[in-house]
Amino acid sequence: MSNERFTTSREVYHRIRWDPRLDAREFVIGYDAHGDAMEEMPFEAFVPDGELPWHRVWYFKRGREVMWDRKERIDRLSHPAPSEDPPAPAPRRAPAAFTPLPAHRFDASAEAWVTAVAPSTKPPALQHLTVATFNVLFDLYDAELLDTARRIPAALALLRGTDADVIALQEVTTPFLRALLAEPWVRERYWLSDGPEASTVATYGQVLLSRVPFSSLVQRVFSRDKRLIAGELRVADGTLWVATPHLTSNRDASGAAARAVQVQAILDWALALGASEEGRPPDLVLAGDFNLGESSAEADSFAHAGFVDAWPTLRPLELGETYNPQLNSLAALTTTSGRLQRLDRVLVKSASGRLAPQAIELFGEAPLPGAPGPSGQPLFASDHFGIRCVLRQGSASEADAARGTARLVHQTAVVLIPPESAWPPIQALRKKHDAKFERWMPHVTLLYPFLPEADFDTVAALFEEALRDIKPFEVTLSAFGHFEHRANATAWLRPDDAPRGALAALHAKLAAVVPECAAPERGFTPHLSVGQLPRSKDGDLEQTLAAWARTWRSLSFPIGDVCLIRRKGDTPFEVLRRIPLGRAPLKQSPASTKGDSTLRAALASSSTPSSREARTSAVARLHGLCERIGTSLHPYGSYLLGTDEAGSDVDAVAIGPSSLSRDDFAHALLREVATSAPEAASSARFVADAAIPLVKLSLGGVSFDVSYASRPEGVTPCEPLTLLAQHAPQLDTSGLRSVLGVADSQGVLDALGTDEATHERFRNLLRAVKRWAKARGIYSHALGYMGGLSWTVLAAWACTRGAPDAAKSDAELLAHFFQTFASWPWPQPVALTQETAGYRPDGKRDLMPVIAPAEPLRNTARNVSRSTFRTVREELVRARELVTGARASSSPHAWEPLFQPVDAPRDLPARLRLSVEAPTPEAHEAAMGWVLGHLTALVYRLEGDRRLCVRPLQGPRVIFIGLDTRQSQDSGALSWKPGSPLAEAVETFHSSFLEWTNHPKDTVLKVELLRADDEA
């Protein structure tokens, strides 16, 4: 026996994963499933260091050839040898990572289930195809509460009652499969994807049943219990594939990541399937448990790939929850969130458009008759409701119609929204009874589903023209009504319009513009939903509504505009456009001009033509200095945007050749300054240990922060955006971040468009916002708030996304800014482009995501913490109220409270004071720079005590951190005694300062706790 070390399973895995000569998709992994038989999974389904440990991996195969085997000591990857038999070719239409399955049918003569091949008879012609999907709930956990012996016969009876052509089942266990195979109606009518051997349901899995014989069957295993099973059906019109997925849920900590991989695998398979078919691509139906939330990225990816979701297509006004802990006692037992969710779906992809959803309904919504379940609650067949969907073979004209409606999405809508002053009584009802309270604002639906957000600009212009003849009107909410569904009812308030018919006329105008959004069969019943109520046979529903009516007081309000709203992911809907009724484009009124004049008087901007001219001259001078050392200078930030003021630093990046290092650039520039601008030499210095190393200098009274990026070797001089587009991966981190500064600034300018009036409004808005944020101490990335780029993106968003009226004056635009972001549904990202809108918040560093305009996707406000998030929100709300008051006043003094600076002794009665004692001004500046650069670490340590909220504030030569407990019983969080959380957090920060490698000699950091009582 050889003493040579045998390669481990971990090493083999990574060899296959990273060796460019090997295709991981060709491999499968054999593993010990804690039984006598080995099981296999596709290589790509294996999660390193996951639930399956390395010691249970026994072999790797490519095709049928064993490439590594622990028991047989085979390692053909490290010691290749010629194979006696070439690997068998993969089965037809079984892409990489898919493996074939045998089909099963019941042989009456043998009285047994046997594997079988589809007969070579003429394919059946189907006018309709009925598909049923049902997660039947395994009993591996809490079996004593599930009464599976009673549920299995009930589930089988429900399935028989669907009379479906195709049945997709999830969470099937071996006992359930055994009972299914024994059913006479199953034996007589169906082909199955599994048989008595139960190979796909250990410990649980999926089973596919079809009345049409399977021409082929394949499976894609994602994990031991999660997979996709797909069957090919030959019908008269061609090929139809039906598949049942069961994707990973969020119950698993890594569920979202695993599910994203699974969804992509399904989409890749669907794409390959279409490309491999001769003639037109096959129709494809997915029916199963997707474990997707509404408006999730995965759901969007199916829509983008051409799949039509049957439920919202046919029943857009109903959520269609298949998992309802409020109604289903088993769902209440298994839920972790308590939310109503549409986890199960039927998706259809028909390239020709000839296969389309016709009808859809839920089944299994009623509890089983007889005694309650073991928990004492009514017993259901499963914790999920099933779906029965009828698909029809349509004509070419129906195909065209299907393509027209396929663009509609459920993340946008056109609605009427009552003024906020009318919300309290409506919201009081909704908060108690409406499961969608967090998702929707109070509204009357006009069009839903609606067109994608990308069409908003076009459709808003069309709506504005169409609604010029519709005058504002009044709505009164005075009576209740309801819509009945299978399992519950939607209660709503009836909006009575005055003049009568105004709502119908408004809806007709909108429907004429986008007829695909207003199918005639849906009708139009104006209503404002307030909740969902259970259905009952004894009149409880009517009695409840009558009781509400007795206490409801009629509520009237004006309607002056139509709102285009959208939502992203699981965030609430937000208003993106307001279309005025009966109004021509407004001219700037004297009142708004007056508001502008008082605002400008209050601002008394320090930016003058002469100061801009001096700054331009200083920039030109620095250009010349950089050119002399072989680099090009590129200012960005406020200077490039035109929002700089006297006293503002100019941020710039110098770009040079690969032969010039960052240190060499800095020293060369400092030498050139000493020679050509000796008056600036004394203050010029290189800050090498900054997050982005830079040269700080002052020319003609203008301060510069100059970073550096070197072009990769062989790259000729080019513009920053070209360098970024073609060579970003070759730039070092500091160089990349510096060049991105230019790209982000240019991205803001691009988002503003070419209209100079828009740019001027933006500059005025950003100057006002910047002055406000600096006065309130929240204009600082280093302190844990939002920095210049974040506030710039918010201002640009307000300028480009505001209602037309908001842009009529500077005062109105400022009011729109604060109204928007004081109520923004964080952590919904603020993004300026479609590309950056794809950012997905993830974790505590994404409390307030403001996305940089240039890719890669970045949150510019990642330093915002639990406490600083609260501070920014409170300041935005304060500003909104002050601006409302100032606009109602004619005095410029009315604006002064908006820009009132924070006073530390008054506004921060308990605070830490961080100061530095240093022998020289340079040492003091360097030490304070370190403190500022590391302050967020101290903030996070302080926030480790959940009783404590902090507010950093920068003062002259000192930094304060306000301390607030909000609850009197939490005053112990302010203890300064040794060993207290507060004292330990400060001590850790102080120790880090002392351990700083470039700590200036004889420099001392002082941290003191100040209280209002101590200063009195």
Side-chain angles (χ1 to χ4, degrees):
M1 181 175 178
S2 172
N3 291 324
E4 183 178 355
R5 175 180 174 274
F6 187 63
T7 311
T8 66
S9 57
R10 180 195 294 268
E11 292 168 330
V12 173
Y13 173 87
H14 288 291
R15 167 76 180 278
I16 297 171
R17 171 61 70 194
W18 302 114
D19 191 330
R21 297 168 296 178
L22 301 174
D23 186 348
R25 295 173 298 177
E26 298 176 350
F27 287 81
V28 297
I29 296 177
Y31 64 96
D32 173 12
H34 291 312
D36 295 333
M38 304 295 289
E39 293 192 12
E40 293 183 349
M41 70 167 66
F43 181 90
E44 292 176 308
F46 181 78
V47 179
D49 301 308
E51 62 179 22
L52 184 65
W54 294 104
H55 70 267
R56 285 171 53 196
V57 175
W58 281 87
Y59 61 81
F60 293 83
K61 291 197 311 188
R62 179 164 58 187
R64 293 185 178 177
E65 183 180 10
V66 175
M67 303 302 295
W68 181 92
D69 188 297
R70 180 193 303 275
K71 182 178 180 180
E72 302 297 330
R73 310 291 285 181
I74 295 172
D75 183 3
R76 293 192 172 96
L77 291 172
S78 302
H79 309 285
S83 176
E84 296 180 2
D85 301 310
R92 184 174 67 87
R93 272 189 299 280
F98 278 76
T99 55
L101 289 172
H104 298 75
R105 68 170 181 82
F106 187 74
D107 186 335
S109 61
E111 294 188 352
W113 284 90
V114 298
T115 59
V117 177
S120 56
T121 56
K122 182 179 179 180
L126 298 177
Q127 295 300 315
H128 297 86
L129 181 78
T130 301
V131 178
T133 179
F134 196 23
N135 181 320
V136 298
L137 180 58
F138 63 65
D139 60 355
L140 303 182
Y141 311 103
D142 300 317
E144 69 281 1
L145 299 177
L146 302 183
D147 199 353
T148 300
R150 186 176 160 201
R151 288 190 305 107
I152 288 180
L156 294 174
L158 286 171
L159 292 171
R160 181 180 184 181
T162 65
D163 194 28
D165 300 300
V166 174
I167 299 175
L169 302 177
Q170 305 85 45
E171 293 198 13
V172 176
T173 58
T174 301
F176 190 100
L177 177 60
R178 191 179 302 121
L180 182 71
L181 296 174
E183 285 290 304
W185 60 273
V186 175
R187 293 182 171 189
E188 293 170 9
R189 306 173 194 168
Y190 291 92
W191 290 58
L192 270 69
S193 61
D194 206 343
E197 61 273 19
S199 61
T200 63
V201 297
T203 52
Y204 66 90
Q206 292 119 277
V207 174
L208 202 57
L209 298 82
S210 174
R211 282 177 169 161
V212 180
F214 291 117
S215 294
S216 66
L217 279 165
V218 294
Q219 70 168 335
R220 168 69 190 263
V221 178
F222 299 124
S223 66
R224 184 190 65 181
D225 305 317
K226 297 292 189 290
R227 67 191 71 211
L228 175 84
I229 294 180
E232 179 186 23
L233 310 180
R234 294 290 184 181
V235 294
D237 276 353
T239 300
L240 167 65
W241 280 86
V242 292
T244 179
H246 188 191
L247 308 185
T248 302
S249 73
N250 288 330
R251 188 185 297 269
D252 188 326
S254 60
R259 192 167 57 251
V261 173
Q262 295 161 6
V263 168
Q264 191 57 53
I266 294 172
L267 295 177
D268 290 345
W269 170 70
L271 183 64
L273 197 65
S276 67
E277 291 285 341
E278 297 181 2
R280 71 177 179 90
D283 293 331
L284 176 57
V285 178
L286 299 177
D289 183 353
F290 288 78
N291 273 311
L292 300 182
E294 293 297 330
S295 305
S296 64
E298 295 97 335
D300 291 343
S301 64
F302 279 112
H304 294 156
F307 284 91
V308 174
D309 193 337
W311 187 275
T313 298
L314 298 170
R315 306 177 78 159
L317 299 181
E318 302 175 40
L319 289 182
E321 303 97 340
T322 60
Y323 189 79
N324 190 330
Q326 295 181 10
L327 297 178
N328 187 324
S329 60
L330 293 183
L333 178 67
T334 58
T335 185
T336 58
S337 68
R339 293 184 307 196
L340 286 68
Q341 300 179 79
R342 189 168 66 90
L343 303 179
D344 307 85
R345 307 184 181 202
V346 175
L347 307 182
V348 183
K349 183 176 183 180
S350 179
S352 66
R354 287 184 293 180
L355 186 66
Q358 182 180 41
I360 192 167
E361 61 183 352
L362 302 180
F363 65 86
E365 299 168 277
L368 306 186
S375 66
Q377 299 295 319
L379 183 67
F380 287 75
S382 173
D383 58 344
H384 288 235
F385 301 146
I387 298 177
R388 179 182 185 272
C389 181
V390 179
L391 308 173
R392 72 176 185 277
Q393 290 286 343
S395 63
S397 60
E398 290 172 323
D400 293 337
R403 279 189 287 272
T405 58
R407 293 185 63 244
L408 303 185
V409 298
H410 291 77
Q411 294 79 46
T412 63
V414 182
V415 299
L416 299 178
I417 300 177
E420 288 194 27
S421 59
W423 284 23
I426 302 171
Q427 294 295 75
L429 268 177
R430 295 186 65 231
K431 187 173 184 179
K432 186 175 182 180
H433 301 285
D434 193 352
K436 296 172 281 186
F437 176 79
E438 298 288 347
R439 179 180 303 175
W440 294 85
M441 68 286 286
H443 69 282
V444 176
T445 300
L446 296 171
L447 299 173
Y448 179 74
F450 190 56
L451 299 172
E453 183 189 345
D455 294 336
F456 272 21
D457 288 338
T458 300
V459 78
L462 295 173
F463 280 171
E464 187 165 352
E465 181 64 31
L467 300 183
R468 293 202 193 284
D469 298 333
I470 301 292
K471 302 299 182 184
F473 55 93
E474 187 170 89
V475 161
T476 300
L477 304 175
S478 59
F480 290 91
H482 69 279
F483 297 129
E484 291 198 3
H485 316 301
R486 287 174 57 90
N488 61 6
T490 297
W492 43 263
L493 281 160
R494 187 183 69 215
D496 296 325
D497 47 10
R500 190 167 183 177
L503 274 169
L506 172 60
H507 179 263
K509 285 282 189 179
L510 298 173
V513 175
V514 283
E516 65 271 33
C517 301
E521 62 270 15
R522 296 178 192 161
F524 177 57
T525 303
H527 63 282
L528 194 154
S529 297
V530 292
Q532 298 79 43
L533 298 173
R535 289 186 61 183
S536 62
K537 297 180 180 180
D538 53 9
D540 285 352
L541 175 59
E542 288 74 13
Q543 292 176 21
T544 298
L545 295 179
W548 290 2
R550 285 193 293 271
T551 59
W552 177 259
R553 299 179 64 181
S554 291
L555 183 64
S556 299
F557 48 84
I559 293 294
D561 54 31
V562 166
C563 299
L564 275 60
I565 63 174
R566 73 95 197 267
R567 70 189 294 254
K568 288 188 174 182
D570 291 328
T571 60
F573 276 98
E574 57 168 330
V575 178
L576 292 192
R577 299 284 193 281
R578 288 183 180 269
I579 313 299
L581 302 182
R583 292 209 302 263
L586 297 177
K587 297 180 179 179
Q588 192 172 35
S589 66
S592 64
T593 304
K594 186 175 183 180
D596 278 0
S597 64
T598 55
L599 173 60
R600 289 167 186 164
L603 283 170
S605 174
S606 59
S607 180
T608 64
S610 59
S611 68
R612 178 68 181 182
E613 183 179 335
R615 297 161 67 73
T616 302
S617 175
V619 169
R621 191 176 177 192
L622 184 56
H623 265 293
L625 297 178
C626 289
E627 286 179 355
R628 293 191 190 111
I629 62 174
T631 64
S632 59
L633 184 74
H634 304 275
Y636 59 90
S638 62
Y639 181 83
L640 184 59
L641 295 170
T643 60
D644 55 323
E645 299 178 346
S648 298
D649 292 346
V650 175
D651 295 315
V653 55
I655 300 177
S658 60
S659 58
L660 185 66
S661 70
R662 184 168 286 105
D663 284 1
D664 291 343
F665 158 76
H667 295 130
L669 180 58
L670 292 175
R671 286 194 300 270
E672 188 61 35
V673 169
T675 301
S676 303
E679 76 283 1
S682 61
S683 62
R685 67 190 186 282
F686 178 40
V687 185
D689 59 349
I692 299 179
L694 49 84
V695 174
K696 299 180 75 71
L697 71 154
S698 178
L699 292 174
V702 179
S703 298
F704 290 88
D705 289 341
V706 185
S707 56
Y708 177 73
S710 60
R711 297 185 300 273
E713 187 174 355
V715 176
T716 57
C718 58
E719 289 300 310
L721 298 188
T722 303
L723 180 65
L724 195 62
Q726 298 181 0
H727 307 288
Q730 298 167 267
L731 300 177
D732 66 8
T733 301
S734 296
L736 176 62
R737 292 174 64 183
S738 300
V739 180
L740 279 171
V742 180
D744 287 330
S745 299
Q746 188 59 52
V748 171
L749 295 175
D750 292 343
L752 293 170
T754 58
D755 179 29
E756 177 54 33
T758 301
H759 284 254
E760 181 62 24
R761 286 193 297 271
F762 162 74
R763 289 191 289 267
N764 291 337
L765 173 64
L766 185 55
R767 288 190 185 105
V769 169
K770 183 185 295 187
R771 176 170 171 183
W772 161 77
K774 286 184 174 180
R776 304 306 298 170
I778 57 175
Y779 190 89
S780 173
H781 182 74
L783 291 181
Y785 302 111
M786 289 191 281
L789 180 56
S790 300
W791 291 115
T792 298
V793 170
L794 295 186
W797 195 98
C799 285
T800 57
R801 306 296 181 88
D805 287 353
K808 298 308 177 184
S809 75
D810 292 342
E812 288 173 348
L813 188 56
L814 185 61
H816 168 67
F817 176 90
F818 287 122
Q819 287 167 359
T820 298
F821 295 113
S823 57
W824 188 265
W826 306 105
Q828 177 175 309
V830 179
L832 293 179
T833 68
Q834 285 291 112
E835 293 76 17
T836 57
Y839 185 88
R840 301 295 176 188
D842 182 23
K844 67 179 183 179
R845 298 298 299 276
D846 279 333
L847 296 177
M848 194 168 264
V850 181
I851 312 308
E855 296 186 83
L857 302 183
R858 292 159 290 134
N859 176 11
T860 64
R862 283 183 65 79
N863 274 5
V864 173
S865 69
R866 169 174 60 85
S867 297
T868 56
F869 172 75
R870 190 186 73 172
T871 298
V872 174
R873 289 289 301 272
E874 290 175 346
E875 288 294 340
L876 286 167
V877 171
R878 171 186 178 273
R880 179 182 62 186
E881 303 307 319
L882 291 174
V883 169
T884 300
R887 292 181 67 203
S889 172
S890 59
S891 169
H893 298 295
W895 290 94
E896 291 176 0
L898 179 67
F899 305 107
Q900 181 181 26
V902 175
D903 180 74
R906 180 191 65 221
D907 300 324
L908 309 176
R911 62 194 182 278
L912 296 175
R913 180 170 63 188
L914 287 73
S915 59
V916 167
E917 296 178 353
T920 66
E922 292 77 16
H924 183 275
E925 184 175 359
M928 285 302 293
W930 184 94
V931 172
L932 193 60
H934 294 76
L935 193 71
T936 53
L938 176 57
V939 168
Y940 280 120
R941 288 192 185 97
L942 292 171
E943 287 182 341
D945 187 341
R946 300 295 295 182
R947 301 171 296 173
L948 199 61
C949 285
V950 303
R951 177 168 183 165
L953 177 69
Q954 188 164 13
R957 300 177 64 84
V958 68
I959 294 175
F960 296 107
I961 300 180
L963 306 174
D964 184 10
T965 59
R966 291 295 171 98
Q967 301 292 331
S968 58
Q969 65 266 28
D970 294 335
S971 58
L974 298 178
S975 172
W976 192 235
K977 295 179 180 178
S980 68
L982 178 60
E984 288 191 348
V986 170
E987 180 59 34
T988 301
F989 184 73
H990 195 271
S991 298
S992 299
F993 177 79
L994 296 176
E995 295 166 1
W996 173 28
T997 304
N998 296 320
H999 179 272
K1001 186 178 179 182
D1002 299 327
T1003 301
V1004 177
L1005 170 64
K1006 295 181 63 177
V1007 183
E1008 306 164 88
L1009 175 64
L1010 305 179
R1011 303 176 190 265
D1013 295 342
D1014 300 334
E1015 298 175 312

